[in-house]
Amino acid sequence: MRVTVVERVPAEEMRIEGLTGDAAIAHALKQCDIDVLAAYPITPQTIIVEDFQKFAANGEVQTKVIPVESEHSAMSACVGASAAGARVATATASAGLALMWEILYCAASLRLPIVLTIANRALSAPINIHNDWSDSYGARDSGFIQLYCQSSQEAYDTTIMAFKLAEDHRVLLPVMVCIDGFILSHNVERVEMLPDEAVRNFLGVRDPVLPLDPDNPITMGPLALTDYYFEIKEGQDRAMDAVPEVYKEVEAAFEKMTGRSYGMFEKYRTDDAEIIILTHSTPAGTAKAVVDVLREKGEKVGVLRLKMFRPFPAAEVAEAIKHAKAVAVFEKCRSFGAVCNPLALEVRAALYDLKERPMVTDFVIGLGGRDVPPTTIVEGYEKTKEYLAKGKAPLYETLGVRK
Amino acid sequence: MPVIEVRWHGRGGQGGVTSAELLAKAAYYDGYKGVQAFPYFGAERRGAPVKAFTRISDKEINVRSQIYDPDVVAVLDASILDLIDVTEGLKPNGKVIVNTPKKPSEISVKRGHVYTYDGTGIALRYGLMVAGLPVVNTTMLGAFAKATGLVRLETVQKVIKEKWPGPVGERNAEGAREAYETCTD
């Protein structure tokens, strides 16, 4: 199966609206013509499901909306519907994602192309509604593809592309589309939306490989012990390996239609950079603004904004950062007891086989929505310069916290 | 053009978040490429002081943090002036727009150039009420257009009418016009 050929949509056919990150996702889901949405409300993804329910109530979509009683049931309903061949989506955050845990692995292992949109939010306790990445980072080994967005526009675009990627027969894996809770989920900005028809043509109708069919009953996910379980995991691993190639094709087609593409990561002023800031989601935007100011002062600094965290594009990232003297990782998660934190672990592993590697610093920022102002990024940058001069850096440290 | 940063101060339920959003919409209708409008959600409830933010630029805006050094501060409820320093971090030539029947010279703030207009009076005259209380967020948009010149009154009225189609939108748009005409420094 190859990606559909599409034409450039003329500017006058695009609809411009002011949308929050959540609303942008809701509009994308509407245009993706999903068959089933099963969800349980949780802040800050709330607007996604609220807006979608409005579309359903107004008859603007044909989707079966299932208001389930928990996130465990939400993902279970998605699994059932997707197994029957439907195009399926849900949305969650924080504790909701935690409650889905068991079924996340089922969705991935059954190779069901479900799109799960997440407004990233801290985990309890104490209860906190604000943003960090502990929820989806925790699910990084579940077998979901993970894509992180910086803007409402990107959230809209990525949600559409996610179905195309997930449903490709070379992939057949579920996708998490992640936005920063409140910072993006509740931030209104300018979003350019495609005509419905263009999205329909781009995605086509899902072509399920082996759907549930009452006339032709099959069993999915039955027992596989020492005999076949490992082979199933091997197959899942190969599907994950196929993601970058398919993702590039999907993006190329999307770019042809819209003029926009993002890549597995974005390089911002990194070519001659001596220090590269590596992060994703909204802190990457703030980091770009910081880099612009530092560049004016003659500092050689750039940003690598990661978009795809699963699969982690290790070889490509290593190639993009290997010339730097240091890579300063900023991440909104602490992996308690770990050597460093999830993003820096990937970056350090990606660089390990190089003969000459940049120094890697790892800054834990913004837990529980603690604001990440430009000064926090500058502080990490200055510390990295200091460690470079000393020739030694700590494995990780926290920034912006009372100590 | 640098990024223009606006901080909104109001009380929960007064529509400060909606003001921030409507200003962002007006800004992109008026041709600005970069707009952001976002609330700060704490543990507040109806009546407690709340904040919201808007950024406007002619280029895409990358920065995603809260606003610490605003160019403009909009105060929907003058009683907040006694509780917090709304001008904290305000840029040296920054503007402070206050909903109050008082003259700018009668308003005491730590820094900034003060503009006033009687938003509550206008809201009462035009029947801009929610749950029996006057709502001044749309009038503030008119005052903002006058004080800053960043967006046009016509555009502000357009976004108000889009948000509330029918007579409610018309009344709010008229209220914004009167605020525009009466806002002074």
Side-chain angles (χ1 to χ4, degrees), chain A residues 56-106:
Chain A
N58 293 341
E60 296 174 65
V61 291
Q62 305 305 312
T63 311
K64 171 74 181 169
V65 179
I66 312 176
V68 287
E69 87 296 347
S70 79
E71 287 83 358
H72 190 279
S73 298
M75 188 49 77
S76 298
C78 287
V79 162
S82 187
R87 179 171 288 158
V88 179
T90 185
T92 196
S94 182
L97 185 63
L99 190 51
M100 274 183 189
W101 216 260
E102 178 189 4
I103 315 301
L104 292 179
Y105 284 73
C106 298

Side-chain angles (χ1 to χ4, degrees), chain A residues 268-282:
Chain A
Y268 187 79
R269 308 183 80 165
T270 55
D271 284 352
D272 64 339
E274 291 176 359
I275 295 179
I276 294 174
I277 295 167
L278 197 157
T279 185
H280 61 68
S281 304
T282 59

Side-chain angles (χ1 to χ4, degrees), chain A residues 146-332:
Chain A
Q146 290 194 347
L147 305 171
Y148 291 84
C149 308
Q150 189 198 310
S151 66
S152 294
Q153 181 72 60
E154 190 178 352
Y156 170 84
D157 293 345
T158 305
T159 302
I160 295 170
M161 287 191 277
F163 288 102
K164 191 87 182 157
L165 175 63
E167 293 172 5
D168 190 289
H169 287 190
R170 292 165 290 175
V171 174
L172 291 175
L173 288 173
V175 183
M176 291 182 191
V177 176
C178 304
I179 58 174
D180 279 347
F182 285 112
I183 304 169
L184 191 59
S185 70
H186 285 61
N187 172 48
V188 173
E189 53 193 29
R190 182 183 181 278
V191 177
E192 190 177 294
M193 286 189 288
L194 288 157
D196 294 349
E197 201 191 338
V199 179
R200 266 203 306 276
N201 291 342
F202 177 74
L203 287 182
V205 176
R206 183 185 161 199
D207 173 26
V209 176
L210 196 63
L212 289 177
D213 175 2
D215 297 328
N216 244 323
I218 55 165
T219 306
M220 285 190 179
L223 196 69
L225 298 175
T226 51
D227 48 1
Y228 277 110
Y229 181 89
F230 204 168
E231 280 69 29
I232 291 162
K233 295 297 129 179
E234 181 75 12
Q236 233 179 299
D237 201 37
R238 288 189 194 173
M240 200 51 110
D241 281 347
V243 170
E245 184 193 341
V246 178
Y247 176 82
K248 282 172 197 167
E249 286 176 29
V250 170
E251 269 221 321
F254 191 82
E255 184 175 12
K256 203 167 168 193
M257 182 166 66
T258 62
R260 292 187 299 275
S261 74
Y262 303 93
M264 294 188 287
F265 53 83
E266 175 193 357
K267 293 191 284 181
Y268 187 79
R269 308 183 80 165
T270 55
D271 284 352
D272 64 339
E274 291 176 359
I275 295 179
I276 294 174
I277 295 167
L278 197 157
T279 185
H280 61 68
S281 304
T282 59
T286 304
K288 287 181 200 168
V290 167
V291 160
D292 289 342
V293 174
L294 291 174
R295 281 271 175 183
E296 277 176 29
K297 293 179 181 164
E299 303 284 313
K300 288 193 169 174
V301 54
V303 177
L304 187 140
R305 175 175 75 94
L306 193 72
K307 178 177 174 75
M308 185 187 285
F309 183 68
R310 279 294 178 270
F312 190 82
E316 292 89 343
V317 167
E319 186 60 33
I321 60 178
K322 67 177 186 189
H323 65 278
K325 289 181 182 165
V327 177
V329 176
F330 289 78
E331 54 188 315
K332 290 190 165 191

Side-chain angles (χ1 to χ4, degrees), chain B:
Chain B
M1 170 185 152
V3 179
I4 304 285
E5 298 187 314
V6 183
R7 188 171 63 209
W8 303 80
H9 290 277
R11 289 179 180 274
Q14 283 185 329
V17 173
T18 306
S19 302
E21 290 182 9
L22 291 179
L23 174 60
K25 286 187 186 186
Y28 79 69
Y29 278 143
D30 273 348
Y32 295 96
K33 289 249 165 45
V35 294
Q36 292 178 352
F38 52 103
Y40 176 77
F41 282 105
E44 66 266 4
R45 56 265 143 227
R46 191 165 288 272
V50 294
K51 281 188 289 189
F53 308 95
T54 306
R55 284 193 179 96
I56 302 171
S57 174
D58 52 6
K59 291 197 288 275
E60 189 192 350
I61 301 169
N62 278 320
V63 68
R64 294 278 174 185
S65 63
Q66 289 175 30
I67 288 170
Y68 298 93
D69 315 305
D71 298 87
V72 184
V73 171
V75 184
L76 295 170
D77 187 325
S79 69
I80 287 173
L81 298 173
D82 302 329
L83 302 175
I84 52 170
D85 173 17
V86 297
T87 67
E88 189 182 355
L90 186 69
K91 291 206 178 77
N93 52 354
K95 294 173 180 176
V96 185
I97 310 168
V98 185
N99 160 33
T100 174
K102 292 182 183 168
K103 290 183 200 141
S105 56
E106 295 171 300
I107 298 294
S108 157
V109 286
K110 284 198 176 159
R111 53 190 84 75
H113 188 72
V114 178
Y115 293 74
T116 62
Y117 78 105
D118 184 14
T120 307
I122 295 168
L124 288 169
R125 277 199 296 287
Y126 287 87
L128 314 180
M129 315 288 283
V130 172
L133 295 169
V135 176
V136 299
N137 60 346
T138 51
T139 63
M140 180 56 88
L141 291 168
F144 183 93
K146 173 72 167 292
T148 66
L150 287 166
V151 289
R152 298 183 311 132
L153 173 65
E154 295 73 28
T155 317
V156 161
Q157 292 184 303
K158 178 180 158 175
V159 296
I160 290 170
K161 285 189 245 179
E162 280 178 5
K163 174 85 178 173
W164 297 281
V168 174
E170 293 291 338
R171 286 206 307 274
N172 277 277
E174 276 306 295
R177 182 191 50 72
E178 187 166 332
Y180 182 89
E181 286 166 358
T182 55
C183 177
T184 54
D185 61 352

